[in-house]
């Protein structure tokens, strides 16, 4: 799994590919992709930054869509439940999943300054954690790996301001 979010890339292709993957997965799996669900997902794809529910509502309003908060939360729940988005607990916000349809245990690298979130895999750490849990006769049902730090761009700004 590649790390997406901190490196420079063609972000428009990222958005286009994400929307195409969402549509394809929904068609193949009989999921109803409403225009509002697609709009919420596109907002999440618009940057690799965690987006809160009220910011999503604000952006929908700017597009002429004004669902009440419970409706927006239902659309976010649809996206998270089906693996199209992830809830970032630390930030109480959401990001688009960059690996739609792929079975994975993501880990999130979160910049404490700009809230950019990079999704990567947690295979190595999860394997070690499963071994520890097994040794303790503990059955893991779910886990979320969130790592807080500082991204390359913010680190560059800090270093530039140090003098």
């Amino acid at each position: 799994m590649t790390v997406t979010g901190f490196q420079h890339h063609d972000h428009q292709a990222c958005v286009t590919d994400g929307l195409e993957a969402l549509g394809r997965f929904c068609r193949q799996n009989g999921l109803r992709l409403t225009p509002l669900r697609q709009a919420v997902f596109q907002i999440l794809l618009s940057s690799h930054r965690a987006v809160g529910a009220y910011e999503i509502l604000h952006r929908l309003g700017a597009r002429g869509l004004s669902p009440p908060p419970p409706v927006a939360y239902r659309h976010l729940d649809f996206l998270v439940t089906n693996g199209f988005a992830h809830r970032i607990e630390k930030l109480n916000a959401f990001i688009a999943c960059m690996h739609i349809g792929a079975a994975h245990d993501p880990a999130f690298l979160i910049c404490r300054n700009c809230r950019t979130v990079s999704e990567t895999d947690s295979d190595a750490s999860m394997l070690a954690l499963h071994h520890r849990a097994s040794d303790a006769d503990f059955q893991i049902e779910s886990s979320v790996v969130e790592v807080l730090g500082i991204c390359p761009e913010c680190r560059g700004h800090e270093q530039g301001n140090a003098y």
Side-chain angles (χ1 to χ4, degrees), residues 21-32 82 84 100-101:
L22 174 69
R24 186 173 45 255
F25 188 90
C26 286
R27 282 189 304 278
Q28 292 171 348
N29 293 280
L31 297 173
R32 188 165 172 252
N82 290 289
F84 308 137
I100 291 177

Side-chain angles (χ1 to χ4, degrees), residues 66-157:
S66 298
V71 173
Y73 276 108
R74 277 199 305 272
H75 292 301
L76 284 166
D77 185 55
F78 168 83
L79 295 172
V80 170
T81 298
N82 290 289
F84 308 137
H86 301 289
R87 184 170 189 272
I88 305 300
E89 303 289 332
K90 179 78 175 160
L91 302 176
N92 192 25
F94 302 85
I95 63 162
C97 179
M98 302 312 297
H99 308 284
I100 291 177
H104 64 292
D105 288 316
F108 303 103
L109 308 175
I110 306 166
C111 180
R112 65 176 163 76
N113 282 350
C114 66
R115 294 175 51 123
T116 297
V117 178
S118 184
E119 180 181 346
T120 187
D121 65 68
S122 65
D123 293 344
S125 61
M126 288 308 298
L127 182 60
L129 188 57
H130 278 280
H131 286 302
R132 301 272 183 182
S134 179
D135 290 347
D137 197 26
F138 182 82
Q139 182 177 343
I140 296 175
E141 294 178 348
S142 69
S143 66
V144 177
V145 178
E146 296 181 358
V147 181
L148 192 62
I150 187 158
C151 74
E153 186 158 334
C154 290
R155 197 171 55 247
H157 290 298

